[in-house]
């Protein structure tokens, strides 16, 4: 039997899987139904305890098949570890991430790779016609978003300001060159915001090079999981909602002379909102030593972020009121907010 070989612009799709028995078939079937067929699917089973492991194994393809489906089983070590495992096995020139509870339209991969193929064809034709294309623009990241309106390649720092800090902080709905991801790994000590931190690292690595391209959103279908970290009751790990943005600031500080002050103001505003989200979670549970420590962290985060010029001004009127009450009296805010949520 002749073994199929991946062609140019081969894509590796990495899907971390943990107890996703109910939604995994929809996700995988949407991937296998892609109009663009030059890809491999890497399912990383993160120690699932339901039927997900068996489902994953059922999708495995014979050696040499294209599209190929591979399954890697690991102990339960979190989504960052699972994605990192996927990266270690990825063979594609391009990499994309999909969450197991999401799904994609049939044209998802085709829409992501089309700008790359169009540029490659344009360069090939230009060379054939004798044009000088010694230093063509290299695209490292394509993001599928409506937050960035530019149709031409943008810099990493522009992507940071207008994308990552403007609601495009998720790792999915993007295509990454294997080269740009070569030394990139998700930080597995974070349970929230780990994908945003990786994007910040990518933006810094790209810097002032115009190698990020934005295309219209629409082909990635995000499922708002009611059991996800953002929607669950407060637990100590929820403090990562604060830690991840602190990590982002730490990463960016060495480059303060290279990037706009607006970025740091935006970042501080986001830190304030994130801290208040944590405060809102605390207000809805009985207080103990864990929540006492978290309240201190929220207050410290607010005091730090509010020192940044323009951060408080960037808040909505509602958030300005919330922050003012909390900074005046955390106990009063928690009581008021907790009562409001209970009666809502």
């Amino acid at each position: 039997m002749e073994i199929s070989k991946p062609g140019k612009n081969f894509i590796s799709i990495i899907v971390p899987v943990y107890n996703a028995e109910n939604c995994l078939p929809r996700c995988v079937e949407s991937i296998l139904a892609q109009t663009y067929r030059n890809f491999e699917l890497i399912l990383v089973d993160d120690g699932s305890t339901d039927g997900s492991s068996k489902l994953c194994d059922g999708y495995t393809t014979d050696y040499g098949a294209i599209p190929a489906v591979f399954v890697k089983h690991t102990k339960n070590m979190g989504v960052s570890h699972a994605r990192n495992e996927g990266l270690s096995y990825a063979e594609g020139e391009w990499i994309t991430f999909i969450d197991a509870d999401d799904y994609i339209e049939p044209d998802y991969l085709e829409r992501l790779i089309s700008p790359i193929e169009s540029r490659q064809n344009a360069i090939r034709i230009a060379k054939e016609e004798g044009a000088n294309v010694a230093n063509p623009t290299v695209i490292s990241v394509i993001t599928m978003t409506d937050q960035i309106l530019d149709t031409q390649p943008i810099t990493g720092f522009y992507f940071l300001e207008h994308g990552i800090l403007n609601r495009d902080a998720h790792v999915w709905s993007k295509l990454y060159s294997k080269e740009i991801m070569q030394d990139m790994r998700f930080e597995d000590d974070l349970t929230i915001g780990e994908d945003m931190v990786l994007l910040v690292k990518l933006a810094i690595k790209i810097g002032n090079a115009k190698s990020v391209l934005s295309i219209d959103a629409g082909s990635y279908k995000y499922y708002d999981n009611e059991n996800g970290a953002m929607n669950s009751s407060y637990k100590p790990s929820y403090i990562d909602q604060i830690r991840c943005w602190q990590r982002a600031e730490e990463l960016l500080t060495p480059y303060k002379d290279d990037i706009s002050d607006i970025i740091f103001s935006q970042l501080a505003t986001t830190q304030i909102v994130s801290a208040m989200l944590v405060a809102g979670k605390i207000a809805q549970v009985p207080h103990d030593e864990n929540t006492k420590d978290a309240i201190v962290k929220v207050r410290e985060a607010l005091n730090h972020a509010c020192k940044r010029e323009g951060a408080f001004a960037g808040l909505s009127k509602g958030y300005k009121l919330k922050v003012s009450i909390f900074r005046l009296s955390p106990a009063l805010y928690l009581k008021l907010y907790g009562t409001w949520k209970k009666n809502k």
Side-chain angles (χ1 to χ4, degrees):
M1 181 183 70
E2 184 178 352
I3 296 177
S4 300
K5 294 183 180 180
K8 188 175 179 59
N9 293 325
F10 188 55
I11 299 174
S12 294
I13 304 172
I14 299 172
V15 179
V17 179
Y18 178 70
N19 288 356
E21 182 179 18
N22 293 331
C23 53
L24 184 62
R26 180 183 65 177
C27 176
V28 174
E29 293 302 326
S30 75
I31 294 171
L32 297 180
Q34 290 298 291
T35 55
Y36 186 85
R37 309 298 294 166
N38 190 32
F39 68 86
E40 64 177 359
L41 169 58
I42 305 172
L43 299 171
V44 185
D45 171 33
D46 184 34
S48 296
T49 56
D50 63 356
S52 297
S53 298
K54 187 175 180 180
L55 278 175
C56 286
D57 289 336
Y59 289 113
T60 305
T61 56
D62 294 332
Y63 176 76
I66 299 292
V69 182
F70 304 103
V71 178
K72 306 298 177 184
H73 297 282
T74 71
K75 296 179 180 179
N76 179 223
M77 299 182 69
V79 66
S80 291
H81 180 268
R83 287 175 177 152
N84 288 339
E85 280 290 296
L87 283 171
S88 68
Y89 289 105
E91 294 289 343
E93 296 173 63
W94 297 93
I95 296 167
T96 191
F97 299 93
I98 299 173
D99 286 350
D101 47 4
D102 300 338
Y103 67 98
I104 53 177
E105 296 290 355
D107 65 348
Y108 175 73
L109 292 181
E110 189 172 349
R111 289 189 61 218
L112 282 173
I113 201 66
S114 287
I116 300 298
E117 293 184 327
S118 295
R119 287 173 177 273
Q120 290 170 343
N121 289 335
I123 291 172
R124 176 181 56 79
I125 292 171
K127 285 182 176 179
E128 290 175 354
E129 294 178 348
N132 182 12
V133 287
N135 296 300
T137 301
V138 176
I139 301 299
S140 299
V141 177
I142 293 181
T143 179
M144 188 178 282
T145 178
D146 290 333
Q147 305 304 322
I148 301 172
L149 301 179
D150 299 69
T151 58
Q152 296 301 312
I154 58 175
T155 69
F157 292 137
Y158 189 97
F159 175 45
L160 176 67
E161 179 179 348
H162 297 273
I164 301 171
L165 295 177
N166 189 30
R167 300 189 298 279
D168 189 25
H170 38 259
V171 74
W172 37 263
S173 74
K174 294 173 177 61
L175 188 68
Y176 311 86
S177 70
K178 188 171 186 179
E179 183 178 356
I180 199 68
M181 293 295 292
Q182 197 66 44
D183 57 352
M184 290 289 158
R185 291 296 181 269
F186 294 88
E187 299 191 16
D188 54 16
D189 65 328
L190 290 173
T191 59
I192 298 173
E194 75 290 334
D195 48 354
M196 177 277 296
V197 172
L198 181 126
L199 289 177
V200 170
K201 291 180 180 178
L202 282 175
I204 291 171
K205 184 175 182 179
I206 294 169
N208 287 313
K210 291 185 176 181
S211 62
V212 180
L213 192 64
S214 171
I215 63 174
D216 292 340
S219 294
Y220 189 100
K221 302 302 179 181
Y222 171 75
Y223 173 67
D224 190 5
N225 187 353
E226 61 182 15
N227 297 316
M230 297 299 291
N231 296 322
S232 62
S233 299
Y234 177 80
K235 52 187 176 182
S237 62
Y238 201 81
I239 208 70
D240 283 356
Q241 180 69 28
I242 293 175
R243 291 180 60 236
C244 69
W245 292 106
Q246 291 174 334
R247 189 74 54 84
E249 182 180 4
E250 292 168 1
L251 289 167
L252 290 170
T253 297
Y255 302 91
K256 61 183 179 181
D257 293 333
D258 300 312
I259 57 182
S260 168
D261 289 339
I262 294 174
I263 289 178
F264 286 99
S265 294
Q266 286 178 307
L267 177 58
T269 298
T270 303
Q271 289 173 331
I272 293 171
V273 172
S274 297
M276 294 309 299
L277 289 175
V278 176
K281 293 291 185 181
I282 296 171
Q284 301 174 63
V285 298
H287 293 183
D288 55 20
E289 286 302 312
N290 285 326
T291 56
K292 183 179 179 180
D293 180 62
I295 292 168
V296 172
K297 286 183 169 60
V298 169
R299 197 168 195 175
E300 290 174 347
L302 289 176
N303 290 339
H304 171 76
C306 285
K307 291 178 182 177
R308 175 72 62 176
E309 184 178 353
F312 187 79
L315 297 169
S316 66
K317 290 182 179 179
Y319 265 106
K320 286 177 180 176
L321 179 60
K322 289 180 180 181
V323 171
S324 297
I325 295 174
F326 189 95
R327 295 187 73 190
L328 176 67
S329 173
L332 175 61
Y333 176 82
L334 295 173
K335 181 179 180 180
L336 291 173
Y337 190 83
T339 302
W340 176 74
K341 289 292 289 187
K342 189 178 297 183
N343 297 328
K344 189 177 179 182

